[in-house]
Every structure is written in structure tokens, then in C-alpha cells.
Amino acid sequence: MMNDEIPNLTAFDGDSLNAAFVAVENKARVDATFISNEAGVEDFRLRWLGRKQGRLTEISARWLKAAPSEAKKGLGLRFNALKAVVEALLDQASGAGPSDAALAAEAIDITLPGTRRLTGAEHPITKTLNEITQVFAALGYSVGVGPEVETDFYNFESMNFPPGHPARDTQDTLVIANQERRTLRDRLLLRTHTSPVQMRTMESQPPPVRIIIPGKVHRNDAADATHSPIFHQVEGLCVDTNITFSDLKGTLDHAMKALFGSAVKTRFFPSFFPFTEPSADVQISCIFCGGKGCRKCKNSGWIELLGCGMVDPAVFAFAAEKQPAYDPKKISGFAFGMGVERIAMMKYGISEIGQFYAGDMRFLGQFV
Ligand SMILES: [Zn+2]
């Protein structure tokens, strides 16, 4: 029986064969889209793959027989490819899914090791900085930030380092070039401490203030095992009515215990900072020997860790220029500052400050 849909082939060159087979394959694909139920699947099977009347049988009978012997091989290959497509369409329509062979070709070997990605982690400095910040956040302090390139006024003058004051020598820093035309207080420099943010915060809000100020600072210090020209500080400022030195002692004692363990003791020694009066250095009992005396604490049992003091009335006077509520007769406050590197070195037993900045993954990987 002749099948109307399969034309006779008259030319057997490659292009003609391709065109003929593509046309038949497209018909099969269109035909398969009309299958809607089981009966449709069987109709499709009979129409295309039926042994006696199927279109593939028809093609085999007419095209292959009519082909000259040199075209038979190419025609046979195309015929097998067409048959595979029709069978796949039938499988798909009957819900059988792709053949086992097709699945095997696409299979993924799940026993092969995957591509391992390195997990990111906080740098030990960032980690320590966040730990310190969290201790004070739990006491109700908010976080203050400010520019690293600061004016002479905010970095020095408003912190009670008057022009020419010898205390400026202890905080020598890099100054931006070509500023001769500016007045001294407007000249830009790299901040030597995060204290300028104290003044910026007081200027922008009336008391009470409780802020913690983490950040990067710069000093003209030669790099050695414990010094770096760039390092990190956390400063704190608390201003309110009736703030006393015992509030300062209680706050820092709590903070040191939170950071180094509840067995740590603190003691306060008189010191000098331009922006606090009175000022104190804070020592903690040696965390390595528990206060018995060891090489780390030079056998004293104590380690000096931070500076602090009651805010100098002269500092409040600068703040009062913009916020009159900072009247030193009505309010008081304390400030403190600590080096993040120094605390991180103690916590993790690191002896070279330069290791923090070298970018050596063998070193940094230990803190993940
Ligand atoms: Zn010790």
C-alpha cells in the first residue's frame, strides 16, 4: 500500500537526502505534539513504526530500494537516525521517558571530588574589633564612624592639643601637601586616633552620648615587632549628668573581663592625655601567668592595655560652640581608647604585628 505522505525520492545526493529526512523528521515531531491519550500513542506507533504500513517501513521499502548502490550507506545512516528520533518521540509520549542509553550518556559521576571553594572569614583584626564593639554594644553604646583624612581642628585642636603643644610630637602623622593657604585648623592630615569622632558626634547631638568608635589610624612610627604606622583603635565616649570616675572604672573592668575572662583584674595608674583630666593607664592582670609573673608581663604580673580618663572641660568647651548643652558645669563624661592589634596579639598569642598585614594565608587561615 502506498503512503501519500512519503514522496518518492528522485535525487540521492547528500543535500537532497538531508532535505528529505529533515522534512520527514519534522512531520514526526508535529505529529507527536497531537498525542493526547493512550489511544493516540498507539496510533502514532502504528502510523510511524507499524511493520506493514508504518511510514518508516514505507521509506525503507521505497527510498532504500530505489537508491543507487553508492547512496545506500548514507541513506541507511540517516534512516537509523530518523528511527531513533521517532522512537524517542514515542517513548516521551507514552511517559516512558528517555532511554537507558540516553540517561547513561548524561550521567554525572557523583563520586568525583567537587570543586572546593575557600570559605571567607573575618580577618583577626576585624574579628577582635567586632568583639570589642559587641562588649560595649551590650552596655548600650552605639557605633560612631568618621573620616580617616581629618582636619587639624578635629584631630588635635578640639582634643585639647593646642598648636605647638608638645603632646603633638607624640602623635606625628602624615599631612596632606600644598595646604599653605589654609589656616592651621583646616589643614588635612591622616588621623592619629579616632578621637575626632568624639567631637563630631558631640557637635551633632546633645548629651547623653554613649558611643564606641572603631577605626584605622596613622602615626609616624617606625615599624617593629609591636608598632606599625597604620593600626586600629577602638575609642569610647560616655557623656551624661553625674558621670564619675567610678563609672569609668566599672565600665572598663567589666569590658576587660568580657574580653579576657572573668578572672582578669584591672588597676588604674595616673597618666596624661591632653583630652582627659584626670587621665589613667589601665593594666590588666597578666592573662598568661595569672599575675604570678612571666616573660610576657616582664615578671610584673600586669600588662598595660589602654588609656582613659574623665573628659577635659576644655574639650566640652569646643563641643559647646555648636551644642551649648555640653556645659562642663552641668555634664561630665569619660573617654577611653585601646589598640586593636595589641589586644588581638594578646588574645591569640601573636608576637609580630606585621603578620596581620602580610596577607599570608597560612597565618590568616588559623583564625577561620
Ligand atoms: Zn605574666
Side-chain angles (χ1 to χ4, degrees):
M1 188 195 262
M2 292 289 283
N3 190 324
D4 296 343
E5 307 230 358
I6 304 299
N8 282 321
L9 266 193
T10 50
F12 292 90
D13 58 288
D15 287 347
S16 304
L17 286 179
N18 279 342
F21 274 96
V22 166
V24 176
E25 188 184 315
N26 284 342
K27 260 183 203 165
R29 289 187 187 282
V30 171
D31 206 5
T33 61
F34 289 104
I35 301 173
S36 59
N37 53 26
E38 267 180 55
V41 172
E42 183 56 14
D43 282 349
F44 181 87
R45 193 187 67 76
L46 281 174
R47 191 156 52 251
W48 287 92
L49 297 169
R51 260 200 217 152
K52 288 182 179 164
Q53 297 177 25
R55 287 171 182 173
L56 292 190
T57 307
E58 191 72 26
I59 288 171
S60 166
R62 284 198 278 131
W63 294 4
L64 212 56
K65 267 178 200 160
S69 54
E70 70 271 14
K72 279 195 193 316
K73 192 183 173 197
L75 203 148
L77 287 173
R78 288 179 175 84
F79 178 82
N80 286 338
L82 173 66
K83 194 177 176 193
V85 168
V86 173
E87 280 171 349
L89 287 169
L90 184 69
D91 281 347
Q92 228 169 37
S94 62
S99 67
D100 287 351
L103 283 177
E106 284 179 14
I108 296 164
D109 184 354
I110 57 166
T111 63
L112 281 173
T115 311
R116 190 171 173 173
R117 288 171 191 273
L118 286 175
T119 314
E122 282 177 329
H123 188 279
I125 294 296
T126 311
K127 196 171 167 176
T128 308
L129 211 142
N130 287 341
E131 279 172 18
I132 299 168
T133 305
Q134 274 158 23
V135 167
F136 288 96
L139 292 173
Y141 284 66
S142 52
V143 175
V145 288
E148 268 176 57
V149 179
E150 196 45 283
T151 64
D152 186 282
F153 174 75
Y154 283 110
N155 192 78
F156 286 127
E157 194 178 339
S158 71
M159 286 293 118
N160 202 27
F161 293 74
H165 193 281
R168 286 188 175 218
D169 293 347
T170 63
Q171 297 194 10
D172 191 15
T173 184
L174 292 170
V175 177
I176 308 295
N178 302 320
Q179 301 187 87
E180 290 76 10
R181 277 203 230 144
R182 295 182 177 209
T183 58
L184 178 64
R185 62 158 54 184
D186 289 330
R187 287 186 195 167
L188 298 172
L189 44 79
L190 300 186
R191 69 179 180 191
T192 59
H193 45 188
T194 57
S195 314
V197 184
Q198 294 186 19
M199 185 54 61
R200 290 181 175 277
T201 305
M202 286 191 284
E203 283 184 351
S204 66
Q205 67 176 84
V209 166
R210 276 174 188 77
I211 49 162
I212 194 89
I213 310 158
K216 197 187 287 173
V217 301
H218 306 253
R219 291 196 193 171
N220 185 16
D221 283 347
D224 63 21
T226 55
H227 292 86
S228 160
I230 302 174
F231 59 101
H232 297 77
Q233 259 195 345
V234 174
E235 288 210 354
L237 173 71
C238 169
V239 182
D240 207 338
T241 49
N242 299 319
I243 297 288
T244 67
F245 201 93
S246 43
D247 294 318
L248 169 59
K249 285 186 81 170
T251 301
L252 292 183
D253 188 70
H254 165 81
M256 293 303 111
K257 284 178 164 62
L259 286 170
F260 295 104
S262 55
V264 158
K265 296 191 189 82
T266 53
R267 65 178 186 180
F268 291 66
F269 272 75
S271 185
F272 171 79
F273 304 106
F275 39 92
T276 47
E277 179 60 36
S279 303
D281 282 328
V282 183
Q283 299 181 346
I284 65 167
S285 53
C286 180
I287 58 170
F288 302 103
C289 64
K292 288 189 198 88
C294 67
R295 205 168 54 84
K296 295 252 169 75
C297 59
K298 292 171 187 145
N299 287 315
S300 69
W302 296 90
I303 291 175
E304 195 176 310
L305 210 56
L306 67 157
C308 65
M310 301 304 290
V311 179
D312 194 300
V315 172
F316 283 139
F318 280 107
E321 287 175 16
K322 288 194 179 160
Q323 290 281 354
Y326 288 95
D327 179 349
K329 293 194 185 74
K330 292 179 183 153
I331 47 112
S332 56
F334 61 78
F336 54 87
M338 57 194 103
V340 179
E341 276 81 350
R342 185 158 162 69
I343 290 178
M345 287 168 85
M346 280 190 56
K347 272 185 86 96
Y348 300 118
I350 296 159
S351 53
E352 280 279 340
I353 196 172
Q355 287 186 297
F356 288 129
Y357 320 118
D360 186 339
M361 291 298 284
R362 291 167 303 179
F363 171 74
L364 296 173
Q366 301 174 82
F367 302 96
V368 174

